[in-house]
Amino acid sequence: MPSDSSGRHEEYRKKLLGLGESSLRKNYYPELRKHMRELEESRTRYKAIFNATADSLFIHDSETFNILDNNEQACLMFGYTSEEFLQIDFNQLCSGEGSYTRKAAMEYLYKTLNIGAQNFEWHCRKKDGTLFWTDVLLKQAMIDNKNCVIASVRDISSRKQLEEQLQQSQKMEAVGQLAGGVAHDFNNMLSGIMGSAEIIGKLSHDDKISELADVIIKAAETAGNLTKQLLSFSRKGRFKLKPLHLHQAIYNATDILERSFDRNIELRLNLDAENDTINGDLPLIENIIINMSLNARDAMPSGGLLLIQTDNQVIDNNNNFRNQNPENDYICLTITDTGTGIPDDIRKHIFEPFFTTKDIGKGTGLGLAAVYGAVKRHNGYIEVESEIGRGTKFLIYLPISAPAQSSDSDIHPTSEIKGTGTILLIDDEDILRFVGEKMLTKLGYKVNTAVDGVDGITKFNEQRPDLVLLDMVMPNMSSTECFYELRKIDPQIPIIAVSGFTPDDTINTLFDNGLAGFMEKPYKLNELSFKIASLLSKS
């Protein structure tokens, strides 16, 4: 501790030498006692301030850099006693990983003595081996006539964790935008492939050609499911959210899973949630369960237990991570395996598209990425717990919805519906205009085509059609501008928007302003025929 009274001590010492006892008692003892009392009060104040700070404080010898003193917070932060701090080398407080070594710490100490105060982040190690992040400020100071270095150490582990979560979120968002763009272009190509294959199959009288066309169509449908996984990750696909029972989705998924699991894997269900109603897209929810379960299966090559559980949870206001649903009522879907577990360095990447630890050809890296996107799509949250050699547990929290209302089943046409009339097809892709014209002609319609929105307005004015098929991503004039211009010319014209992907808010806005229907690429001929026939019958 610094002392400004050392000179006064020397003055008293000189005055006291040679003085008699009576003179000492009369003139100097009272003043000496007062001075000593002030000195003790000063030490007490210093110690109180030293220990009151929330940061850890260390006083280092400027020559040996040994610890001379520390405050109480240092003991709490690092787990050592003050006596132990006096005995250890400060190297034991360094993580030792990467550049966080004794040598690097010494450089900062020398800079403090030769240049001035140093402020930096440092990776520290506690007595029990726990590693954590700190912010360190080093300053030089004279204490009791001795040159020292004071180290102020602040725990910033929580801040670093938040920074990492933000960086991960931004990375996932960027990859999601890329995934949406890739899916859009891919769906355009699939539309041309699937449509061409269907036309070939319909026109051919050769069974072998028809069979090959069916193979092409099925392959295109499989590829289409791949793009749906991309879109579910990027949350740009259009999905039908409505009240459904999660338990029914689990039963549907496990019916499929049981046929793909080896007998050495036991599939067990503990569905304890009393309220299993969520607002969701049934195929998407089933895809979550199937993808998670297949990953669990692959993690148990020698067999094991796959446990699927549900229970209801009310998330309290102290849990900021999940508490974004006003009702706070969730159903927790837990999928647990007894497999190999996930290492920490891999766990942070498992939800990234195209990240896989499987051999080439055995995994796309889209399974868990699609799960992540689908869960977010349902305003839910996903957590993962794993231990090497003990298995992995995924916890998915989905908001509870109002009870499902009974409704008519969705109509899935199995054959084409022929029709008459004129259809204007507006699309900037040459292949899609060509295939679309062939498909519509096959259904009995007269077809006019336009290469973009401007051309579409011109063709619309030249010959008024009975219906318009409008691609949602085009150059020159945006599709929304074209839509509103067409509606301005003829407010009654049925318009079907067609896209490889379009965000829900865009489509919903168009529906609010008179959009008659929406078709998601790639689509089949029977689906297109049903959509057109149903709209023309209404008009």
Side-chain angles (χ1 to χ4, degrees), residues 237-268:
R238 180 165 174 79
F239 306 100
K240 299 176 181 178
L241 300 180
K242 59 184 179 181
L244 61 87
H245 292 289
L246 178 61
H247 289 172
Q248 185 58 54
I250 294 173
Y251 291 134
N252 295 347
T254 52
D255 282 345
I256 299 172
L257 291 169
E258 285 176 338
R259 294 193 292 270
S260 63
F261 279 15
D262 293 333
R263 291 185 177 181
N264 60 356
I265 295 179
E266 178 188 356
L267 178 59
R268 187 186 303 168

Side-chain angles (χ1 to χ4, degrees), residues 57-94:
L57 295 177
F58 296 93
I59 298 176
H60 291 270
D61 187 300
S62 63
E63 296 180 359
T64 65
F65 296 126
N66 290 335
I67 298 173
L68 302 176
D69 197 4
N70 63 274
N71 66 353
E72 293 174 357
Q73 181 60 28
C75 298
L76 295 174
M77 185 179 291
F78 286 88
Y80 292 97
T81 65
S82 293
E83 291 74 19
E84 288 174 323
F85 274 127
L86 297 176
Q87 302 298 321
I88 67 172
D89 187 284
F90 70 84
N91 180 54
Q92 294 176 240
L93 308 182
C94 304

Side-chain angles (χ1 to χ4, degrees), residues 198 202 411-419 439 442-443 445 519 524-534:
E198 283 206 271
K202 300 293 181 184
I411 299 174
H412 300 286
T414 56
S415 59
E416 299 87 41
I417 302 174
K418 301 284 186 175
M439 293 175 74
K442 180 72 172 61
L443 293 174
Y445 298 103
M519 294 288 293
K524 299 185 72 174
L525 186 62
N526 57 346
E527 297 169 344
L528 178 63
S529 70
F530 177 80
K531 178 70 74 174
I532 294 173
S534 62

